[in-house]
Amino acid sequence: MEHSLDEAHGGFLNCLDRDGTPFDTTKHVWLQGRQVWMLSKVFLERRDERYLDAARLGVEFLGRHAVGSDGRAYFALRRDGAPIALQRKIFSECFLVMAYAEFARASGDQSYRARALDLFDTILGLIEDPTRLGRPVLSGQTKTSELAVPMILLNLVAELRGEPGSETFDDREDYDRIEAECVAKVLRHFDAERGLVFETVGAGGERLLDSPAGRLLNPGHVIEAAWFLVQYAERVNDSALVDSSLAMMKGALDVGWDTEHGGLYYFLDSEGYSPTQLEWSMKLWWPHLEAMVGTLVAWRASSDARWFERFEQVASWAYERFPDPEHGEWFGYLDREGRVSQRFKGGPYKGCFHVPRALMLCERLLKT
Amino acid sequence: MEHSLDEAHGGFLNCLDRDGTPFDTTKHVWLQGRQVWMLSKVFLERRDERYLDAARLGVEFLGRHAVGSDGRAYFALRRDGAPIALQRKIFSECFLVMAYAEFARASGDQSYRARALDLFDTILGLIEDPTRLGRPVLSGQTKTSELAVPMILLNLVAELRGEPGSETFDDREDYDRIEAECVAKVLRHFDAERGLVFETVGAGGERLLDSPAGRLLNPGHVIEAAWFLVQYAERVNDSALVDSSLAMMKGALDVGWDTEHGGLYYFLDSEGYSPTQLEWSMKLWWPHLEAMVGTLVAWRASSDARWFERFEQVASWAYERFPDPEHGEWFGYLDREGRVSQRFKGGPYKGCFHVPRALMLCERLLKT
């Protein structure tokens, strides 16, 4: 808050050096949206108007600049809002939906809920017809399913519904169907026998083990998907799905934990080859935060103390290495051995989101 | 050669694990083209028909599959040649030109020289009008110049000309003009006072120091560009350009060398911020090979023994860490401390090119 609010142009400066100095004024829509969401959440928790004002600074900037005339959201904007980059992916739109929906809940301004629902329909259309993303369709390509897509869509519906039991809990007639489809799609990525969730499978769920993409494991992603699934399964009272989700999470923690240096790998190859991603062995902030949330979600869902032990293992490794004792906040990127590799606190993919979200969720889970 | 020739489908398997086992059958056009170039070069050096046959296996596969109906080259092909990926960049086309031109020289088949020249014209057209690459043009974008483009184009013209003094040395009326333009464009990236070459500057050469892209330094790239420039400057007898090129190279070696652990960083930020590239501190095979070639080129051009000392420094660091004593070849990717991070010998960006090219050039330079 102290360093990121851009009173001059609206929105947030999200590329902040170790001490909060901006090192880039580009505004990344993923992070602008996530910060609006987070500030709205904090306002709803604490009822301190400063958070709502900060969220408004972001949401109004996004409302003016983030969406182009074709209805798609840009990936990055110049400080003044002029567009710089458009991704051939749906995630900028997804994080805008979260921002609009949560800001509507925080502010009571239903026009943002309408924007969220419009954009949600745009996303459904893009998933239906991916050629609209502008990626060339070539004859040698295998039709694939990416874990990130049903996983984030499941989360989006949860965000649009709001918290079960709350007065703003909301419904739409297609939510149940979309959620059920997302769950089915996520489960196609899960090899229960091996305890592995593949990032990429064939469109019908086929294993693609002859390619690095088809063998790719992203333990942090799997843990996050698993706790989204547990939340859903608890709401709809599906105990078999709770069990599958916990098996997914256990598999990801087992395979993802670096037994030599501690911490969770970023990427692995299911068959033991070296991942082609150069950063595969780095230890990133967000998988550790997802694992802290996930193990507590699993502990509450199962009442099994071994999940709490895993929470302590992850949290103690992370707390020894990620927080910056001098300037506050967590560093984002450590090398395999756990040493700081990037000193900045905010970058193109690290913003005001994973750290506060996880701390807020962990606090709630530990209180109950 | 032992592991990569694909007798079944033509072309080369270029993703090879530590012991040569293929871990992916995708064929990356960059590397297919570079391997054809390399095998043609080796044939011209050794006159062993096996190299020409192997080059032909690659060049015929590329001739059948690499170029689409719009004249652009794909980035990646399936094992059988069906296209998988198209980049919004010109480099696949560039490495195909090199392959066709050198194979024509090795085989005497002038139809490949015609293909090279056609594709070279395609590249000139794409540089002239980058919107044809399919990248969206957005109102907030700054028009930039990327070092890689004039640098590779300068090298391409040198490849099309062939070796000065040889019987296949060739000319085209626009080569002189293109080369002079490339040199002028490369020099715009050079800040002589600070000894730094920026990867990205404004289209008119303006410094873009308020963005990570505008502060990005890639020492390996600069060293490679510098020895291309020296070669050109020597041919046209431009001693001032030799001096500038050596200053560029010296600057890159000074700023790029890791004084703590040795080796050349992959990326740096000119103002000392952390680069946003997660792999910035890794030590890659190719910058070290470029530095071995570059220091010898500089030594020969200047007769200054300090360049030979730098050669020895780089070569001894690299030879202690990159070669695999058990299975041969060099590893490609080391962490900052110099430990192997990726065990494979060939991947989507590492093929049969930098190691043999550098060894061949170093051998020649050391003989003279």
Side-chain angles (χ1 to χ4, degrees), chain A residues 166-327:
Chain A
S166 78
E167 60 186 33
T168 54
F169 186 72
D170 205 357
D171 245 323
R172 203 169 90 163
E173 37 111 23
D174 56 355
Y175 285 168
D176 288 346
R177 178 185 55 76
I178 295 169
E179 284 177 323
E181 283 173 9
C182 288
V183 171
K185 281 185 186 162
V186 169
L187 289 176
R188 277 194 222 151
H189 290 250
F190 181 39
D191 179 334
E193 211 166 297
R194 297 178 66 189
L196 298 179
V197 178
F198 297 96
E199 278 295 296
T200 304
V201 296
E206 316 85 79
R207 301 292 171 253
L208 304 172
L209 299 185
D210 57 351
S211 74
R215 295 191 299 263
L216 188 67
L217 307 177
N218 179 335
H221 238 180
V222 176
I223 294 165
E224 189 177 7
W227 71 256
F228 289 168
L229 283 180
V230 174
Q231 282 192 322
Y232 168 80
E234 289 186 326
R235 183 165 57 74
V236 302
N237 271 317
D238 182 341
S239 65
L241 182 58
V242 171
D243 292 345
S244 299
S245 311
L246 299 188
M248 284 170 58
M249 199 185 305
K250 181 177 182 306
L253 284 163
D254 286 345
V255 75
W257 191 258
D258 179 353
T259 51
E260 195 175 338
H261 299 284
L264 288 162
Y265 290 114
Y266 191 14
F267 294 117
L268 289 165
D269 181 291
S270 67
E271 312 308 307
Y273 293 102
S274 288
T276 53
Q277 289 81 1
L278 301 194
E279 68 277 24
W280 74 275
S281 65
M282 289 179 72
K283 309 291 166 65
L284 271 60
W285 82 112
W286 67 264
H288 296 83
L289 291 158
E290 298 301 348
M292 284 165 53
V293 175
T295 49
L296 290 182
V297 166
W299 173 56
R300 198 196 50 186
S302 67
S303 307
D304 182 340
R306 283 175 296 182
W307 284 111
F308 194 77
E309 286 164 24
R310 288 218 115 150
F311 166 76
E312 289 184 311
Q313 181 193 29
V314 175
S316 72
W317 193 90
Y319 265 94
E320 275 170 37
R321 288 160 183 86
F322 285 103
D324 177 358
E326 196 171 332
H327 295 283

Side-chain angles (χ1 to χ4, degrees), chain A residues 23 83-84 140-141 274-275 343, chain B residues 83-84 140-141 215 274 342-343:
Chain A
F23 64 90
I84 297 174
Q141 290 167 342
S274 288
R343 73 175 192 215
Chain B
I84 296 175
Q141 290 167 343
R215 296 191 298 263
S274 287
Q342 253 83 357
R343 74 173 193 217

Side-chain angles (χ1 to χ4, degrees), chain A residues 1 39-56 106:
Chain A
M1 289 261 290
L39 291 166
S40 302
K41 268 276 192 262
V42 174
F43 169 74
L44 287 168
E45 190 97 355
R46 300 204 189 162
R47 298 288 161 178
D48 177 335
E49 293 285 334
R50 287 175 305 168
Y51 293 101
L52 188 61
D53 291 343
R56 183 175 289 113

